[in-house]
Amino acid sequence: MRPMRDYFPILDWGRRYDRAALSDDLLAAVIVTIMLIPQSLAYALLAGLPAQAGLYASIVPIMLYAVLGTSRALAVGPVAVVSLMTAAAIGTVAQQGSMGYAAAALTLAFLSGAILVLMGLLRLGFVANFLSHPVIAGFITASGILIATSQAGHILGVGASGHTLPEMLSSLIRALPQTNGVTLLIGLSVTGFLFWVRRGLKPLLRRMGMGARAADIVTKAGPVLAVVASTLAVWGLDLEAQGVRVVGAVPQGLPPLTMPPLSADLVGALIVPALLISVIGFVESVSVAQTLAAKRRQRIDPDQELIGLGAANLGAAFTGGMPVTGGFARSVVNFDAGAATAAAGVFTAVGLAVAAVALTPLIFHLPIATLAATIIVAVLSLVDLGILRRAWAYSRTDFLAVAATILATLTMGVEAGVSSGVALSIALHLYKTSRPHVAEMGLVPGTQHFRNILRHDVRTDPAILTLRIDESLYFANARFLEDLLAERVTPDCALRHVVLMCSAVNEIDLSALESLEAIAHRLDSMGIALHLSEVKGPVMDRLKATDFLARLSGRVFLSQYDAWVALAGPRGAAA
Amino acid sequence: MRPMRDYFPILDWGRRYDRAALSDDLLAAVIVTIMLIPQSLAYALLAGLPAQAGLYASIVPIMLYAVLGTSRALAVGPVAVVSLMTAAAIGTVAQQGSMGYAAAALTLAFLSGAILVLMGLLRLGFVANFLSHPVIAGFITASGILIATSQAGHILGVGASGHTLPEMLSSLIRALPQTNGVTLLIGLSVTGFLFWVRRGLKPLLRRMGMGARAADIVTKAGPVLAVVASTLAVWGLDLEAQGVRVVGAVPQGLPPLTMPPLSADLVGALIVPALLISVIGFVESVSVAQTLAAKRRQRIDPDQELIGLGAANLGAAFTGGMPVTGGFARSVVNFDAGAATAAAGVFTAVGLAVAAVALTPLIFHLPIATLAATIIVAVLSLVDLGILRRAWAYSRTDFLAVAATILATLTMGVEAGVSSGVALSIALHLYKTSRPHVAEMGLVPGTQHFRNILRHDVRTDPAILTLRIDESLYFANARFLEDLLAERVTPDCALRHVVLMCSAVNEIDLSALESLEAIAHRLDSMGIALHLSEVKGPVMDRLKATDFLARLSGRVFLSQYDAWVALAGPRGAAA
C-alpha cells in the first residue's frame, strides 16, 4: 500500500511552504501567465477549436496537476504536438467549427485522462518505453513541419485543409490566388519580429546594460507585444474591412462546467488516438520533468506523473478545454523564473482565469495571422532534421526508424506515423537480436584472458572450439545458434570439444534451452562434447531447475580459463 | 553468387551415387511407401479432401524435394498439422466436398509454395525464428487435440463440424444419438489394434526372436494390416448396407495436371493462412532435417530447404495435391530404414505412383473409420500437455506463452492460435528486457573481482556506486535506467561517482545513448561524475563515433578494478 503522500504530493511540499517560496512562485507565475495567454489561444486555433478552449485548458488542469503531479516546475496546458494530434483525431468524427467538434475535443481529453490515470494506478508507465527516442524525435520533427505548413494558410489569409503534408500543400497551392495582401503583411511582419526577438533582442538588451534575468523576461513578452501591436493596428486601421480575419467574440467569464459526450460510437472512434496522445504527451512531459527535477536534486515519480497528467486531462474535459500535457518551453521558463513549488502553477491558473474574465473583449480584433506566426516560430524550434544525420552516423537501424517515422507522419498523418515507427523499432530490434555477434575465442599467451581470434594474436587448440555469444539466448536467435554451430562444426573432424562462453548471456529462455539440448544431442552424435563457461548466477539457477546439466555430455566451468586448463591439458595450460 | 550446386543439391550427391546407396535407398523406399499409403489417404480425409489428393501430394512433391532439398532423409507429403490448417483455411472460402473446395486446396498449396520459394531466394529463413518453441509446442499439442476430436465423429459414424474445440464438441454431442454401431465397432477395434501395435507388438516380436530391424518393419506395417483387414470385413460382410461409410471410388491413374485458380478474391482470402502454413511447415521440417543430418555429420541449408519445400508445394498445386511439408514420423522411418540419399524419396514416389495406378480400386470398401483411427493414433503422440508443466517449472513467461497458445488454438482456431502465440511471445520478451536485472557491485577483499553486494560480503565506498547492467541498453529499457538512477542517486548525498559496468551490455542504441546523455547531464548537475567500465569492443566503437565520450564528466575504464583503483584511491586499492 502506497502512503497517501505518494498519491498527493501537495501534502509533502504544502506543509513546508513559506514566504520565500511564495514570492518566488508569484514572480514565476506572472512571467508564465504573460507567455501562456497568446500560446493558449494559438494552440486552440491549431486544434481547430474556439480560442477560449485553449485558455480554459490552462486553468483547472494546471490546478489539478499542482495537487497530484510530482514535478515542482512542470507547466501543463495545450501544447503544439498534442494540439495537432487532437485536430487529426477529431477531424475524422466532426466538422471543424461545429458544436460536435468542440464536444469531441472534450471526449478526447476525457479518454486521454482516463487512460493516463488507469496506467498510473496499474503502474503501466513502462508502456511509454516502446516509443524509442528516434521515433519520438522523428515524430516531433515531422509534426513541426505539419504544424508550420497548416499555419502557413493563416499567414496567407486562406484556409489550408488536410492532415498530411501532400494534402496540405496541394490545398495551399490551390488557395494561393486568394491570398489576402494585408493579412500576409501582418503575418510576415509578426513572424519576422518574433524571430528577431528570439535571436537578436536578448543580446541587444544585454549590450544595453540590462540584467540577464530582466532581458529574459522582456524577450518572453515578445509574443504579447506582437499581439497588442497587431490588435491595435487592425482596430485602428479597420483592417477587418480589408479581409483580415480576427479572433472575434470570445465569451467572457470563468471556464464553464461541461460534460464530455461519451456515446459508444464516439468513444470507439477516439480511443486509439486518445491512447497515442496519452503516451506521446506522457513521454514528452516526463522527460522535461525529470531533467528539471535533477537540477535541484528532486525526484519525480513516473507512475504518479501519469495520475497527475491524467487528472489534468479529466479537468480539461469537464471545463470546456482540450487535451493537455506538460509543455517544454513553458516549464523551462517557469523553472528559470524561479518557481519553487507547484503553487506557481496555481498562481498561473489564477492569472489566466483573470485573463478569461477581464481580457477577452480586448482580443476581439486580434488577427488570426498573429497567432499563426506565434505557432510557426514556436514549432520551427521543434524541427530538427539533424536527427537524420546523427542517427545515420550512429547506426543504420536507428536511422531507418527515424526516417520511416518522419516519412509516415508526413505522408500518412500523425497516428500512422507513430504506429509505424513503434512497429518498425520493435521489428528492427528483434531482427538485430536474432543475429547476435558470436566471436571465436583464443587464449592470450602468458595470461588467463581470452580474446577474439580475428582481432588478436591468440592460442587455439584444433580439438577445442570456444565461442562467446554476445546476446541473451531467446527464441528469436535460438535457431541462429543451431545453424551457426552446424555450419562451423560439421566439416571440422579434429574437433572434440565445443565451449560456449556465456558471460554476456543474460537470459536463456525455454526455446533457447531446447535449442541447446538439440545442439548438445547433435554434437554428441558427432562425438563432440558441449561445455559451458562463465554462466551468470540467475541463468545457472534456471538451468539447475532442469535436467539439461545432468544430460550434458560436457561440463560447466566457472571461468573460460578453467575450461581451457581442463580440456587442453597441461600442454595447453603451460602456454 | 551461390554456386549452382547449392541450388541443386542433387548435383552433389548424384555424382557419387553407387550400388550400395541404391540398395539402401530401395529398401527404405519400400518401407516408407507401405507406411505412406494409408497416411496419405487419411490426411486428405482430415483436410476434407478426396482420398486421392493425399496420394497425389506424395508423388511429384517428393520428387521435386529430392532434386532441390538439402536433407538426405526428409520425407515430404501431407502431414497432420498442415492438413488441419488446410481444412481451417479453405473451409472459410468453400463448402467441403464441392469442386471449389479441392480447387482452393491447390491455390493454398500454390501460395505456400510461392511464399517458401520467395523466402528462400531472399534468404528470409530467420522469419521462422519468431515462432518460439513454447508457441510451437503449444500449437502442436492443441492441434493434436483438435484433430483427434474432429476424427472422433468418423469413429462414431457421424459428421462433426467446426474448427474450434467448443464447436466440434457441441456438434459431436448433438450427433451422438445418430451413432452407427457397426462403424463404432470397426473404429474402436482398429484404434485398439493400432495402439497395441505401437506399444506391445515390437517387444513381443523381439521376444519371439525376430531381429530389431525386421520387428520395426512389421510394426510399421500395422496400419496397412488394419486397412486390409477392415476393407475385407466391410466387403465380405457387406457392412456398407449397415451404414458404414467407405472411401468409395478413387480415380485410377497417375496424378492429373491441374491449374490452381488464382482469382484476386481467393488469393486475398488465403494469403495469410498460406503464410502461417509455410512458416509452421518449414519450422517443423527443418528441425527434423537438422536432427537427422547431424547423426551422419551432414549439413542442411535452411534457406535452400525453403526452396526445396516451396518447390514441393508448387508441385502439389499443379498435380491435384494439397499443402505438404516434411513429416516427422515418415522421415525418421526413412532414416532408420537406411535411406542414404534423396533417391530414396524418388523411389517412394514411384511406389506411390504404382499404388495410384494399380491399388485404388482395392480401397473402394476401405472404411473411413479405419482412416480416422489411423489419424487418431498418429496425432495422440503429438499431444504433450507435459509442456505446460515443464514451461511452468522453467519460467512463468514461457508458461504464459504455451498456455495462451493452447487456449487460443482450441477456442479460436489454428490461425488465431499461432498469431496470438507469436504476438504474446514478442510482447513478453520486450517486457522482460524492459526491466533488466541491475546489480550493485562491491570488491571481493584481496582480489580484483567484483560481486553483487546482496549475494557476497564485499567492500564498497560511500562515494562510489557501481552498477552492473545485465542487458543490452535499448529503447525499451532506456527510461528504466533513468528512473532507477534517479531513485537510487537523488537521496544519497555522499555520492561522487557512478560507475556503470557494461560487461553484459551487447548493444547501446540511439535511445539508450540519449538516455545515458540525460543521465550524465542530470548527475552532473548534482555534482556526481558518470563513469563506464568494461565496455565491449563493438559498443565502444559506436560510442567513439559520437561526442558522448568527449562530453562525459567521468572516464571509461578498461576493467572495473581500474575504476576502483582510480576512484577509491590508495585506501580503496589497498583493501
Side-chain angles (χ1 to χ4, degrees), chain A residues 129 132-134 290-291 297 394 398 432 470 475 479 483 490 504 506-508 510-511 514 526 536, chain B residues 129 133-134 290-291 297 394 398 432 470 475 479 483 490 504 506-508 510-511 514 522 526 536:
Chain A
N129 297 341
S132 71
H133 288 231
Q290 222 153 20
T291 301
R297 269 191 178 264
Y394 190 69
D398 283 312
K432 271 190 292 184
D470 285 351
F475 62 88
R479 176 156 298 287
D483 293 347
T490 311
N506 301 309
E507 203 216 338
I508 294 180
L510 190 57
S511 298
E514 292 184 6
M526 300 186 210
K536 298 195 161 194
Chain B
N129 297 341
H133 288 230
Q290 223 154 19
T291 302
R297 269 193 177 261
Y394 191 68
D398 282 312
K432 270 191 291 185
D470 286 351
F475 63 87
R479 175 156 298 286
D483 293 347
T490 311
N506 301 308
E507 203 217 339
I508 294 181
L510 191 57
S511 297
E514 292 185 6
R522 287 171 200 157
M526 300 185 209
K536 300 195 161 194

Side-chain angles (χ1 to χ4, degrees), chain B residues 513-532:
Chain B
L513 177 70
E514 292 185 6
S515 280
L516 284 178
E517 283 170 351
I519 288 169
H521 177 69
R522 287 171 200 157
L523 289 178
D524 218 22
S525 59
M526 300 185 209
I528 300 172
L530 177 69
H531 310 269
L532 305 179

Side-chain angles (χ1 to χ4, degrees), chain B residues 7-21:
Chain B
Y7 282 112
F8 294 98
I10 195 173
L11 297 177
D12 185 36
W13 59 261
R15 279 182 312 143
R16 284 172 280 136
Y17 204 68
D18 59 16
R19 183 185 296 256

Side-chain angles (χ1 to χ4, degrees), chain B residues 303-314:
Chain B
D303 286 313
Q304 181 62 27
E305 278 302 284
L306 285 165
I307 295 176
L309 290 173
N313 274 291
L314 290 175

Side-chain angles (χ1 to χ4, degrees), chain A residues 123 125-126 128-134 137 282-283 286-288 290-300 302 387 390-391 393-399 402 422 425-427 429-435 437 455 468-472 474-480 482-483 486-493 495-496 503-515 518 521-523 525-528 536-539 541-543 545-546, chain B residues 123 125-126 128-134 137 282-283 286-288 290-300 302 387 390-391 393-399 402 422 425-427 429-435 437 455 468-472 474-480 482-483 486-493 495-496 503-515 518 521-523 525-528 536-539 541-543 545-546:
Chain A
R123 311 189 77 70
F126 71 89
N129 297 341
F130 296 110
L131 278 177
S132 71
H133 288 231
F282 171 65
V283 169
V286 89
S287 87
V288 180
Q290 222 153 20
T291 301
L292 297 180
K295 292 192 195 225
R296 295 205 191 128
R297 269 191 178 264
Q298 291 159 352
R299 276 196 54 230
I300 64 135
I387 181 70
R390 291 198 303 281
Y394 190 69
S395 93
R396 297 302 176 266
T397 46
D398 283 312
F399 172 78
V402 181
V422 170
S425 337
I426 291 175
H429 168 72
L430 293 174
Y431 177 71
K432 271 190 292 184
T433 57
S434 77
R435 311 173 75 83
H437 179 245
R455 293 192 179 207
R468 193 193 65 205
I469 303 152
D470 285 351
E471 193 66 63
S472 288
Y474 79 112
F475 62 88
N477 58 30
R479 176 156 298 287
F480 173 84
E482 289 184 47
D483 293 347
E487 184 147 351
R488 173 64 184 79
V489 167
T490 311
D492 187 347
C493 292
L495 213 55
R496 288 294 161 267
S503 44
V505 174
N506 301 309
E507 203 216 338
I508 294 180
D509 78 355
L510 190 57
S511 298
L513 177 70
E514 292 184 6
S515 280
H521 177 70
R522 289 171 200 157
L523 289 179
S525 59
M526 300 186 210
I528 299 172
K536 298 195 161 194
V539 174
D541 290 350
R542 195 150 273 183
L543 290 182
T546 70
Chain B
R123 310 188 78 70
F126 71 88
N129 297 341
F130 296 109
L131 278 177
S132 71
H133 288 230
F282 170 65
V283 169
V286 89
S287 87
V288 179
Q290 223 154 19
T291 302
L292 296 180
K295 292 192 195 225
R296 293 206 192 127
R297 269 193 177 261
Q298 291 159 351
R299 275 197 53 230
I300 64 135
I387 181 68
R390 291 198 303 281
Y394 191 68
S395 93
R396 297 303 176 266
T397 46
D398 282 312
F399 172 79
V402 180
V422 170
S425 339
I426 292 175
H429 169 72
L430 292 174
Y431 177 73
K432 270 191 291 185
T433 57
S434 77
R435 311 172 75 84
H437 180 244
R455 292 192 179 207
R468 192 191 67 205
I469 302 153
D470 286 351
E471 193 66 63
S472 289
Y474 79 112
F475 63 87
N477 57 30
R479 175 156 298 286
F480 174 83
E482 290 184 49
D483 293 347
E487 186 148 351
R488 172 66 183 78
V489 166
T490 311
D492 187 345
C493 292
L495 214 55
R496 288 294 161 265
S503 44
V505 174
N506 301 308
E507 203 217 339
I508 294 181
D509 78 355
L510 191 57
S511 297
L513 177 70
E514 292 185 6
S515 280
H521 177 69
R522 287 171 200 157
L523 289 178
S525 59
M526 300 185 209
I528 300 172
K536 300 195 161 194
V539 174
D541 290 349
R542 194 148 274 185
L543 290 182
T546 70

